[in-house]
Structures are given as C-alpha cells and as structure tokens.
Amino acid sequence: MNIPETFGENVFNDQVQKETLPSEVYKLLRATIESGKTLDVSIAGTVASAMKKWAVSKGATHYTHWFQPLTGLTAEKHDSFIEPEGDKAIMRLTGKSLIVGEPDASSFPSGGSRATYMARGYTAWDPTSPAFVKEGTLYIPTVFVSYTGETLDKKSPLLRSMTAIDKQAKRVLKLFGKECKKVSTTVGPEQEYFLVDEEEYLKRKDLRLCGRTLFGAKASRGQELEDHYFGMLKPRVVSYMQDLDKELWSYGIFSKTKHNEVAPAQHEMAPIFGTTNVAVDNNMLTMEIMKKVALKHHLVCLLHEKPFEGVNGSGKHNNWSMSTDDGYNLLNPGENPENNTLFKLVLAAVIKSVDDYQGILRASVASAGNDHRLGADEAPPAIVSVYLGDQLGALVDSIVNDKDYVPKTAQKGSIGVPESPIFPKDATDRNRTSPFAFTGNKFEFRMLGSQANVADANIVLNTIVADAFEGFADELEKAKDVEKASNEIIKRELKAHYRIIFNEDGYGPAWEPEAARRGLLNNKTTADAVPVCFEDKNIEVFVRQGVYTKEEAIARADIQLENYIKIINIEAKTMVEMVRRDILPAVSDFVAELCTNVAAKKAVCEELPCIAEKETISALAQLNDEVVGLTNKLEGALADVDLADVVPASQAMAHVILPIMDDIRRRVDKMETMVAADYWPYPTYFDLLYSVNN
Ligand code: ADP
Ligand code: MG
C-alpha cells in the first residue's frame, strides 16, 4: 500500500479541486476556505458538477447533506444523482442542490417549549470542510438552520465562534505588527475507546441499550498491575488498528498514534491536529468508522465514557491552540517567554476567560455518560483549573508577585551510559491530573467525554477567548504605548485570575476543599452544571460574540438537560427490565436448586451438614428481597418525575433516581459473586474485559 498515494483518496480535497475545477473557480473557492471570503455563489454550479463527476468516478450514485443536529450525532438523507432526460437517466448535481437542502426540522431537538422554531429547516454547504465519498454516497458537510434563522446544529455556532476569534485575535496581532489574513483555532482530539467481543456484547442488554454496563461485579483482575497502558497489542487488536488506520487515511484523517490505554480492553487513537472545523468533522467520522471497522472484526467499539465500573473511563483530550494563516502559533512561548509580551497577553486572555467562564466550560462537557468519569479514577475532577507547569508557573508567579523571573532552562538528559544518546528534556514535567493543562505550545482540555461532539467544548473555548481578546484590543487600541499597556493588562488579569491556576495534584483529597476556599465551581453532575448556562453573564458572552442569540443559548441548555433526563430514564427502565426478567428469576432458580439439594441431603441423612447451602440461600434470599423492594421504589420514583420540566427533572435524575440505581447495583453485583456461573444471565466483567484474547 502506497500511503502517500492513497491518503485522502475519498476526499474532494485541495489537490482534487485544483485538478477538476477551472482555475478561476478554484481560486475563488480557496479564497473562501483559506481567508474566509464570502462564497461567490455563481461558482456553485461549476463546483457541483466537478464534485459529482469526481464522486461518480469513485462509484457514488447518491449525495447527502451531512450535518450535526443537537442529538450529538451526525445526520444524513441520501438523494441519488439521477434525473430524467426523456426516458433515460442522467447523473446530475446542481449548484442549488450543493448549496442548500431542506430536511424536515421538526424531528430534531430544537429546545422544546421555550423556542419558537418552525418545522422548516435548511442545510447549507460548508465549503471549509471538504466533501468526501463514503459507501457510494457523496457527503457534503453542511450547517443546519431553521426557517427563521436559528441554528439547529453544532456546526454553525462553531463556525461563528471561529469567526469571532479570528476577528478579535487579528485586532490584537495587528497592535503587535503581526498582520495576517486569518487566525484559525486548531484542535487535535485524542480518542479513547474500548473493544469487546461482539458475541459477548450481544448478550448484554445494558451495553446494547445504554452503551454502558448497569451491573457487573469487578473482575479479580482490573488495571492494578498497570500492565495494559502502552502494553503489547494483541494480534486481533493489531489487525483492527491496521484496518482502522487504512480507512481513516483514505478519508484524509491524519491518524498518527495508537496504543493500549490504562484499562483492560481500552485503547486510544490520536490524529495530527487540524483546523477546528475540519477536526470536528473528522472526529465525528472517526467515531463512526471505529464502530464500523470493529464490526468487520466481530468486535464492538464502545465509545461510552464509562462502560465499566471500577476501571478507567474514556475521555477525549482536546488539544487546542490558535495560529495564523502564515503558521504563527499564538501559544508558542518561544525561547524567552518572559520577553514575549504578545505571548504573555494571549496567555492572560486564556487564563482570564477560563476563570470567568469556568461554569460554561464545565457545562460544555457535561453529559450523563461523562458524569461517571469526571472525578473518578484517571479523569480530571469536575473543578476547572489551569496547569501551567514549572516554567510558565514561575513566570506567572514572578509577574503577580513583582519578583524577578529566574528562567528554568531545559536540561539535557542522559542515563549515564556512554553509548546511550543525550536527549533534550522539556523545561516542564507533565501533569495528567489537570483539566486544562498547558503542554508546550497548546492547551489540553481534558474534561471532554469520549463520545462527545468536540464542537461543544470548542464553541465555548473560542467564544470566551475571543471575548477576552476583544476587551484587551479595545483597551490597547486606545493606548499610546502598546507594550507598556499590555504589561499592565497582563499583570492585572493574572492577579485577578490567579485562583484558577493549580499546578499540583488534581486527584488529591486536598484539592476539593482548597478549590472551595478559592471560590471555584465544583458541579459534579450535569443537572448541577448545566443551569449556569441560564445565567445572564453566561448568555451575554455568546450574544456579544455573535455565536448564539439569547434564545439559542437557552434552547441549547434545555436540550442538554433534556438529553440527560432521557438517557437516565432509559437506563433506569433498562435496569428494571433486567432485574425483573433476568436477574430475579435466575437468583430464584439458583436458590431453589440449593433448597432442593438441602432437601435431598436431608433425605439421605438428617445429620449431613448443609451450612454452605443454607448460608448462601439465606444471603441470596435477603438480597433478592431487597432488590425487589428497591426496584419498586425506583419505578415509583420514576413515575413521579415530570420529564418535561427539565430543571427539576434533571435534579431528580441526579439526586433521586441515580442513587436508587446505585443501591440496586450494589446488591445485584454482590449476588453475581454468589450465584453459580451457569445461572448468571449475563457475561461477567471478566468475560467482557478479557474477551479479546488473541
Ligand atoms: P501527548 O503527549 O499528549 O500525546 P502530543 O504532542 O503527541 O502530546 O499531542 C497530542 C495531540 O495534540 C495530537 O493530536 C497533536 O496533533 C495535537 N497538537 C499538537 N500541536 C497542536 C496545536 N498547535 N494545536 C492543536 N493541537 C495540537
Ligand atoms: Mg495528551
């Protein structure tokens, strides 16, 4: 396989555009993509026809507008290229069909009663993300808006947030003599996932309906030997990963790194970063391809944040930076950050915005699945804080405390063996416990869940940083001496937002009380995290930056809560069904068998000891009764929740329903360890986590 040759073979990328479009049209299209010039619609017909011709040569018969509604997934409706000409069929894609589509909007989430959205929705071509051919269809990335112009997807606000940061960052750069055509945000999302054998998966109702196990006693071996992380890849996993890379590369996705993660059966893929907009589309496609390739290998790829209790969950580290069209990375500290005023100003903007808007940043990663992860095991806690590392930490301390900065120079490393090479060491160690860590020339936002659409977090990040830039630019444009005024702003903001910086262990028990003392938010559940989005300050920042209207901001928070409620409702109902139809009968059968055995023993000889059976019978009978009682309680509590009233309903889910579910689970997991293996109705954690053995 010649990778450079086949890379991106399914994508209508720059090279294909150049080859298939007249040069004038090509230039106009690239101007839109690269420097944000408004698309000249007169070229749509020509682009459409070239795209169709190319797609047909790749075996496509259909096209679809591909969009990202508020379900968190992608959506597509396929139309064939076929059009009648006399009684013959020709293949055609018109400029209009490329630019606009009209799916019915009424079946997608729109924010319920508080919004006034109409049923009519439009998809509109997003030329900044390239079209591609997949499974016989030409996929055209689009945005999705309503008849009245409200955004109904994740892509339009993302693009708006990128426009906002482009505009404000350019103002700041200009003051430092760095003019450029465009500032783009860049993202590299590291995707974690689990692989389990398909046969075992199909036997678990909870995995199939909820994406996570609702029951399951811990396997005797979890991740305590620390042997899975970066461990040798099993042949079946190797073969999966090879196939996955091949597929991803054909769609122009720069899959770069692959390795085993901490938990048994857990793995990761990291791509090379790209422009946020394309990175988001690529990540959505990556998740889909991961699942599809798995099925070919009789595996199932689990993208849920916490498929298994007691071992690590899956996240998606969002590496984020900003760079100009001529390649200048705004978060590159350079050799001497202490003298790099522009860098310090950018750093101050990020720190200020993360502190000011920690609530909506936290909310942007909140979901029913991710609630199980934040604060547990490997994941960062639910408290947002910023890690700067030794070097920048010392720099910021010196500014805040008016002290001289003693640069910490990078050292050279050696293992003390003459044959072994001397290697350069970073100026700073890593901190894996921080939710928002500076990692050399980018920030790594680590709170995202593995199945999230990364658009959510990036919409917020881009918006709040754009807002900080705007404030700084307003001030600096009036200043006589930009350098001096910048240093004043840097000092003022770092002092004001110093509390958000935390360079120590984010998992340690000392951090929670310390964070509380600093007045940082600690919203542990989605139900508690999302309502901050209804606060004026948190709505206004979106409105100011032209990312959401007030109605859109409210509608989105409503939908997020609605989604949370629905997921927990499904989980609770699945739990009830599993208990009543599978678990209670299985336990009862096993107890009956033990009773029969006791009776049989007694029939042979009254004195035969039966302690083993009797102890088990009595413990199981007791637990089974408790489980029935709790299941009745769960059903009663569910019936009391008014699902339509999102704020109280989400509170009930978080603080009433989930705790009862937890009580049921504890007992069922205990019973699992006491019932004979043959009787237990589901594959165990051992069966699932160690199902890929070869
Ligand atoms: P790690 O040690 O955390 O794996 P890497 O340097 O390998 O760190 O980077 C992790 C991710 O960060 C990769 O997806 C990489 O492409 C991405 N990345 C690197 N530089 C940038 C940047 N300037 N903007 C956004 N993402 C970046
Ligand atoms: Mg990383």
Side-chain angles (χ1 to χ4, degrees):
M1 184 178 161
N2 183 338
I3 295 163
E5 208 158 86
T6 52
F7 184 84
E9 63 185 346
N10 295 324
V11 187
F12 192 69
N13 55 19
D14 184 24
Q15 194 194 329
V16 183
Q17 290 167 14
K18 197 173 198 168
E19 282 164 13
T20 59
L21 294 172
S23 78
E24 268 319 295
V25 173
Y26 169 74
K27 274 189 212 143
L28 287 170
L29 181 60
R30 291 316 293 181
T32 296
I33 297 169
E34 279 154 24
S35 42
K37 265 193 79 191
T38 305
L39 181 76
D40 180 344
V41 289
S42 69
I43 68 170
T46 313
V47 177
S49 142
M51 241 187 217
K52 181 226 57 184
K53 200 166 158 209
W54 168 82
V56 169
S57 79
K58 298 252 145 215
T61 53
H62 287 67
Y63 70 95
T64 181
H65 277 198
W66 188 57
F67 57 106
Q68 296 170 19
L70 299 174
T71 53
L73 307 170
T74 56
E76 50 194 76
K77 176 185 132 222
H78 300 217
D79 278 296
S80 73
F81 290 124
I82 284 183
E83 274 190 22
E85 201 171 72
D87 56 4
K88 289 210 158 33
I90 56 160
M91 301 292 260
R92 174 181 286 156
L93 178 67
T94 62
K96 181 166 182 285
S97 312
L98 168 63
I99 289 187
V100 59
E102 206 181 323
D104 182 358
S106 61
S107 301
F108 292 103
S110 66
S113 55
R114 296 210 210 181
T116 53
Y117 295 153
M118 307 284 184
R120 209 157 210 193
Y122 296 94
T123 49
W125 178 34
D126 166 18
T128 62
S129 181
F132 54 92
V133 167
K134 181 166 72 71
E135 296 148 4
T137 295
L138 169 68
Y139 281 73
I140 302 166
T142 58
V143 297
F144 183 39
V145 295
S146 78
Y147 181 70
T148 41
E150 286 96 349
T151 57
L152 295 171
D153 67 345
K154 308 217 169 189
K155 197 68 182 292
S156 352
L158 180 73
L159 292 172
R160 287 177 179 173
S161 73
M162 291 175 73
T163 303
I165 210 166
D166 170 44
K167 184 171 159 200
Q168 303 305 339
K170 276 194 302 212
R171 286 177 65 199
V172 173
L173 287 172
K174 192 172 171 197
L175 288 159
F176 285 82
K178 283 194 191 302
E179 286 190 63
C180 65
K181 281 194 268 183
K182 191 170 178 178
V183 174
S184 301
T185 51
T186 50
V187 162
E190 305 168 39
Q191 180 71 50
E192 293 182 339
Y193 60 98
F194 279 84
L195 287 179
V196 297
D197 188 84
E198 188 183 20
E199 217 178 298
E200 303 293 350
Y201 167 88
L202 287 173
K203 294 182 205 149
R204 294 280 315 209
K205 274 183 202 156
D206 44 5
L207 278 182
R208 294 176 70 184
L209 292 174
C210 312
R212 74 176 180 105
T213 52
L214 299 173
F215 301 109
K218 277 191 201 172
S220 348
R221 173 171 173 163
Q223 61 195 41
E224 55 277 83
L225 293 177
E226 300 174 332
D227 55 349
H228 197 256
Y229 188 62
F230 282 14
M232 186 196 72
L233 303 171
K234 289 185 176 136
R236 221 172 142 192
V237 173
V238 170
S239 139
Y240 167 77
M241 286 177 166
Q242 280 170 343
D243 248 15
L244 176 65
D245 276 340
K246 230 190 287 172
E247 283 278 310
L248 294 175
W249 292 336
S250 80
Y251 292 106
I253 297 169
F254 284 91
S255 169
K256 175 81 173 164
T257 309
K258 53 187 183 184
H259 60 83
N260 281 351
E261 258 300 329
V262 172
Q266 192 186 28
H267 314 280
E268 179 180 303
M269 186 288 290
I272 296 174
F273 70 99
T275 310
T276 304
N277 169 31
V278 177
V280 167
D281 284 1
N282 281 349
N283 182 250
M284 296 307 283
L285 194 54
T286 296
M287 291 194 282
E288 177 187 323
I289 292 172
M290 279 182 160
K291 289 187 171 171
K292 285 185 175 160
V293 172
L295 290 178
K296 283 194 210 153
H297 291 253
H298 300 290
L299 295 167
V300 175
C301 171
L302 304 176
L303 290 174
H304 193 282
E305 285 79 10
K306 198 77 183 175
F308 305 101
E309 202 181 69
V311 294
N312 269 23
S314 298
K316 183 147 55 192
H317 293 176
N318 187 81
N319 295 274
W320 176 90
S321 191
M322 298 159 274
S323 66
T324 64
D325 56 294
D326 44 15
Y328 171 71
N329 178 351
L330 275 66
L331 283 172
N332 186 354
E335 290 286 303
N336 303 103
E338 66 276 21
N339 301 327
N340 187 343
T341 310
L342 175 57
F343 169 76
K344 287 189 284 183
L345 192 70
V346 172
L347 184 69
V350 175
I351 291 171
K352 169 186 166 54
S353 53
V354 172
D355 185 29
D356 279 339
Y357 297 104
Q358 47 181 290
I360 43 175
L361 260 185
R362 161 71 184 98
S364 77
V365 298
S367 68
N370 213 17
D371 281 1
H372 297 286
R373 181 181 155 259
L374 296 178
D377 285 315
E378 166 90 343
I383 308 159
V384 176
S385 67
V386 177
Y387 171 81
L388 294 174
D390 297 342
Q391 190 190 27
L392 288 189
L395 176 60
V396 167
D397 284 351
S398 74
I399 297 170
V400 168
N401 302 320
D402 267 327
K403 292 229 175 78
D404 281 344
Y405 169 63
V406 187
K408 199 172 158 14
T409 43
Q411 296 166 344
K412 294 253 188 275
S414 153
I415 61 164
V417 174
E419 292 86 346
S420 143
I422 309 264
F423 50 90
K425 286 209 296 201
D426 291 311
T428 283
D429 195 9
R430 292 170 155 275
N431 176 325
R432 303 191 55 195
T433 67
S434 174
F436 199 90
F438 186 78
T439 48
N441 58 4
K442 61 187 191 285
F443 273 100
E444 185 168 346
F445 186 24
R446 301 192 175 121
M447 294 173 96
L448 286 75
S450 46
Q451 56 184 338
N453 180 333
V454 292
D456 290 324
N458 287 291
I459 291 166
V460 174
L461 254 179
N462 296 345
T463 304
I464 61 179
V465 175
D467 201 59
F469 280 159
E470 179 171 21
F472 290 3
D474 286 348
E475 265 187 84
L476 291 175
E477 280 167 3
K478 288 189 214 110
K480 285 203 195 70
D481 181 342
V482 170
E483 182 76 18
K484 186 163 164 270
S486 295
N487 280 314
E488 279 163 18
I489 293 178
I490 292 164
K491 187 165 185 175
R492 181 188 75 209
E493 298 301 340
L494 290 179
K495 269 190 167 161
H497 300 287
Y498 193 67
R499 64 170 186 167
I500 198 79
I501 298 169
F502 182 63
N503 285 324
E504 281 141 65
D505 183 7
Y507 300 165
W511 176 224
E512 270 202 64
E514 167 64 11
R517 204 186 50 74
R518 296 184 187 191
L520 300 178
L521 295 175
N522 185 5
N523 292 321
K524 294 193 174 174
T525 71
T526 301
D528 299 303
V530 173
V532 304
C533 301
F534 299 124
E535 291 169 14
D536 287 343
K537 166 188 144 182
N538 292 331
I539 292 175
E540 279 156 15
V541 66
F542 289 116
V543 176
R544 230 175 9 249
Q545 294 308 318
V547 174
Y548 293 138
T549 61
K550 182 176 177 189
E551 292 70 26
E552 285 172 337
I554 292 173
R556 271 156 207 267
D558 273 347
I559 291 168
Q560 200 179 351
L561 288 177
E562 222 173 74
N563 185 258
Y564 171 79
I565 295 160
K566 285 177 183 166
I567 286 173
I568 294 175
N569 193 38
I570 291 170
E571 288 182 350
K573 288 195 302 189
T574 305
M575 183 170 248
V576 170
E577 184 186 322
M578 289 172 79
V579 166
R580 291 214 195 280
R581 303 196 57 191
D582 301 327
I583 294 166
L584 296 182
V587 175
S588 171
D589 283 354
F590 179 59
V591 169
E593 172 164 352
L594 291 180
C595 292
T596 313
N597 292 353
V598 172
K601 277 184 172 177
K602 296 273 176 224
V604 174
C605 165
E606 197 54 48
E607 270 78 54
L608 274 182
C610 296
I611 299 168
E613 289 88 351
K614 283 185 179 166
E615 263 189 12
T616 312
I617 291 167
S618 121
L620 282 175
Q622 169 80 21
L623 285 165
N624 229 14
D625 281 1
E626 285 174 19
V627 169
V628 172
L630 286 165
T631 305
N632 293 340
K633 185 173 161 195
L634 179 61
E635 282 183 309
L638 266 187
D640 285 343
V641 181
D642 174 4
L643 298 177
D645 202 353
V646 294
V647 173
S650 59
Q651 283 294 324
M653 290 301 184
H655 303 299
V656 179
I657 301 298
L658 280 172
I660 305 176
M661 288 173 65
D662 205 47
D663 282 345
I664 295 177
R665 177 180 185 146
R666 299 279 80 83
R667 286 161 179 82
V668 170
D669 289 357
K670 178 90 189 120
M671 296 201 294
E672 184 193 312
T673 64
M674 302 170 70
V675 169
D678 286 351
Y679 279 81
W680 199 251
Y682 304 115
T684 62
Y685 269 27
F686 168 74
D687 300 327
L688 290 163
L689 288 169
Y690 295 92
S691 60
V692 182
N693 281 322
N694 46 15

